[in-house]
Amino acid sequence: MNELSPAGQTSAAHIEMELDRAGKAVVWISVISPLFLSQIAYNLGTFPISADLISYALFTSYLLVSGYVSLSILSLLLFISAIALAAFRMSFSDTSGTWTSLLLLSALYAPFCFRLRGVSDPRPVQDYIQRTFVTAATVIAVISIVQIVAVNAVKSPFITNIHFVLPEAIRSEGAYTYSREDAGLIKANGFFLRESSTLSLVMALAIILEYCTRARWLVLGILAGGLVSSFSGSGVIGIMAGLLLPRSLARVPVFVACLVGVVVVLFTLYSADIPYLNVWLNRLDEFTMPNTSGYARFVAPLDMIAHSFDDGFFSTWFGNGAGSYLREIGLLKVKYEVNDPTWAKLIYEYGLLGFALVLSVFVLRLHSSDLRVEACNYFVFTWLVSGQLLKPEFAVIVWLLTLVPKQLRRSGVARPVTATNFPWHRGEMEPMEMA
C-alpha cells in the first residue's frame, strides 16, 4: 500500500488506472454517435430522434441510475430557474413559440448538472476520453481528404454526404446544406457530418486537444488537412478563440491590447489593396451586404434582437417563447438571410434573464471540469457565435469532454484511483453525492 502524506497525496509515483472494457466501450459509443451517426434518426413529424440523442439519453440515464455521478446544486438551481422562467413566458406568449423546443433544451442541458464523482486522480479518465475523440476525428479527417478529391472528380451525391445514401425511413430531417459548392469546388464534409462548417469545427477542436496534450505532428497534419478540405473559416476562428482568448482574468488586459492590434493590422491590410490578400479580406465587406454569410451571422441577428426589445419589458427580459426565433423570421418577412447564433436565439426566445441563466450553466460546466482551458474557451466561443444551442451532437461532445470534474486539492487522506473505486468497475458503489 502506498504511504500517504499529510496533505493527502501519495509519496509514490503517479497512480494510473485504465478503464475496463465496459467503460471504454461506453466512451467510444458516446464519441462515435455524434461524429458518425448524427444523421440516422427516427422522425416524429419534423422532429428527428437521432442516434446521438438516444445515445446521450441512455448514457446519462445509466450514470444516474447507477449512482456514478455527483450533482452540482448550483448548476441545478440555475437550470431549473431558466426552464421555469421559460415555461412561465410560454404560458401567456402570443408568438409562435413551441413546447417542443423547450423540452429539447431541457433534455440537452439537464445532464450538465451531473458529472462523475470525484476520485483522487481523474486525469487518466479525462485523457482516455480526449484521446478517443481525437482518434475518431482523425478518421473523419482522412475521410474528408479522400472525399474532396473523389467527390470533385466523380460529382456523385452518393459520396457527397451520407444523407443521400440513408433510406428515407431513418434519414434525419432538417434544413442543412449537405452539399456546398464554391467557385466550382464541392467542399468536403467528412461524409458523415452534415455540413462543411461542422467538419471545420470538429477538426478545430481535435487540433486544440492534440496540440495541448500529445502534439503528434503526423496527427496534427492529418487534422489540418481535414480542416483545409472543409474550406470553412469557422474552425480557423475557433482555433484562434481557443488559443488566444485569455485563460484567466489577469490576462484580459493583454488580450484586449492584442485584439486592438489585430483590428488595426486587418484594417491596414484591407486599405492597402493587396491583390493576393483581397480574396480573404474582401469578405469584410459582407458585414454591410445583406444575404451574405457575414451579414447573416453577425448583423441580421442584431436586427432580430432590436425588434424583440421594441416589443416591451416582457420580451426584453423573458423573451418571446422557446422556438420563436426562426418562426418569427418568416412572419416578419425579412428580405435577407438570418442565422440563429446561440446568443441571439437565447436572448430572443428566453430574454436577457434566460440568456444569463443558460450561459451560466454552460460556463460553470466547462470551467468546473478537468478539460483544458483552451478547449473551454473554444466551446464558449463556438457555442455563442454559431447555431449550436439545440444540436444534440454538439451537446454530447461538450458533456462527454467535461464529464470528469476538476481535481480539487483537499486536506485529509485521498483515495488513489484503483479498480475498486472507479465508476465502471463492478465492485461496491457509493451513493450519489451532492456537490
Side-chain angles (χ1 to χ4, degrees):
M1 178 178 290
N2 293 316
E3 198 174 318
L4 300 177
S5 66
Q9 300 182 27
T10 59
S11 57
H14 169 64
I15 301 176
E16 290 192 1
M17 186 229 44
E18 294 186 356
L19 297 174
D20 60 19
R21 291 183 179 179
K24 291 180 178 179
V26 169
V27 171
W28 271 102
I29 292 172
S30 299
V31 170
I32 288 174
S33 62
L35 294 184
F36 294 89
L37 308 178
S38 62
Q39 298 196 66
I40 300 176
Y42 175 76
N43 299 295
L44 289 176
T46 58
F47 180 77
I49 303 177
S50 57
D52 51 358
L53 182 59
I54 295 173
S55 171
Y56 189 28
L58 290 177
F59 191 13
T60 53
S61 299
Y62 168 73
L63 289 178
L64 285 172
V65 172
S66 304
Y68 293 155
V69 293
S70 61
L71 171 65
S72 170
I73 298 297
L74 178 57
S75 295
L76 183 62
L77 290 176
L78 292 170
F79 175 77
I80 291 176
S81 299
I83 300 303
L85 286 174
F88 168 74
R89 180 64 174 120
M90 287 287 291
S91 63
F92 62 89
S93 174
D94 56 357
T95 60
S96 53
T98 62
W99 288 98
T100 303
S101 180
L102 180 57
L103 289 174
L104 180 58
L105 180 81
S106 303
L108 292 180
Y109 293 95
F112 279 45
C113 302
F114 302 92
R115 64 172 77 253
L116 284 180
R117 286 181 317 192
V119 290
S120 63
D121 190 355
R123 285 174 294 178
V125 184
Q126 181 68 27
D127 291 344
Y128 186 81
I129 293 174
Q130 292 181 176
R131 288 199 303 268
T132 302
F133 177 82
V134 171
T135 301
T138 304
V139 174
I140 291 286
V142 173
I143 293 173
S144 67
I145 294 171
V146 174
Q147 181 192 34
I148 195 170
V149 176
V151 76
N152 283 283
V154 180
K155 305 286 186 180
S156 171
F158 295 104
I159 58 175
T160 300
N161 196 285
I162 193 176
H163 174 82
F164 302 112
V165 180
L166 290 172
E168 188 175 352
I170 59 171
R171 184 190 303 161
S172 177
E173 295 289 341
Y176 298 97
T177 308
Y178 298 100
S179 176
R180 184 180 292 273
E181 187 172 349
D182 189 8
L185 183 69
I186 300 176
K187 300 180 180 181
N189 50 40
F191 187 70
F192 296 97
L193 302 173
R194 287 190 174 92
E195 298 180 337
S196 57
S197 60
T198 308
L199 170 65
S200 181
L201 291 175
V202 170
M203 294 299 102
L205 176 58
I207 288 173
I208 291 174
L209 293 176
E210 178 65 24
Y211 177 76
C212 295
T213 53
R214 293 189 284 180
R216 296 168 296 175
W217 291 108
L218 177 59
V219 174
L220 287 171
I222 295 174
L223 293 172
L227 178 64
V228 171
S229 67
S230 71
F231 283 88
S232 172
S234 301
V236 177
I237 297 175
I239 292 175
M240 293 174 62
L243 299 180
L244 299 180
L245 284 176
R247 289 178 287 177
S248 64
L249 293 177
R251 299 188 180 187
V252 171
V254 176
F255 170 75
V256 172
C258 293
L259 181 62
V260 172
V262 169
V263 171
V264 171
V265 170
L266 288 176
F267 180 77
T268 303
L269 292 175
Y270 179 76
S271 303
D273 194 24
I274 303 174
Y276 294 105
L277 294 179
N278 283 345
V279 177
W280 302 95
L281 294 176
N282 283 345
R283 297 201 65 178
L284 295 174
D285 293 334
E286 293 184 359
F287 292 100
T288 58
M289 298 172 58
N291 291 319
T292 60
S293 176
Y295 194 93
R297 292 183 181 185
F298 301 103
V299 181
L302 289 173
D303 294 339
M304 292 294 295
I305 298 303
H307 169 75
S308 177
F309 288 177
D310 289 341
D311 286 343
F313 174 83
F314 277 101
S315 295
T316 300
W317 291 99
F318 296 95
N320 296 278
S324 61
Y325 183 86
L326 292 178
R327 288 178 172 83
E328 287 292 302
I329 292 174
L331 295 176
L332 293 174
K333 297 180 180 180
V334 294
K335 298 180 179 179
Y336 47 82
E337 182 183 357
V338 182
N339 279 23
D340 59 338
T342 295
W343 66 268
K345 186 175 178 66
L346 280 176
I347 294 175
Y348 191 91
E349 297 182 0
Y350 299 90
L352 292 175
L353 288 177
F355 169 75
L357 290 169
V358 177
L359 176 62
S360 298
V361 172
F362 190 81
V363 172
L364 182 61
R365 171 73 178 192
L366 289 173
H367 290 282
S368 62
S369 73
D370 202 46
L371 186 64
R372 290 190 63 95
V373 67
E374 294 88 353
C376 292
N377 287 341
Y378 165 86
F379 275 135
V380 172
F381 178 83
T382 303
W383 183 73
L384 283 173
V385 303
S386 58
Q388 305 291 345
L389 179 64
L390 297 182
K391 290 187 177 179
E393 61 269 27
F394 187 83
V396 172
I397 292 173
V398 175
W399 176 80
L400 182 64
L401 288 173
T402 58
L403 187 60
V404 177
K406 183 177 295 184
Q407 180 61 20
L408 300 179
R409 302 295 182 182
R410 299 179 179 177
S411 59
V413 177
R415 291 188 305 163
V417 182
T418 65
T420 57
N421 64 21
F422 186 73
W424 283 304
H425 178 68
R426 294 182 179 272
E428 297 181 358
M429 294 185 301
E430 296 181 3
M432 184 175 68
E433 299 173 354
M434 297 289 188

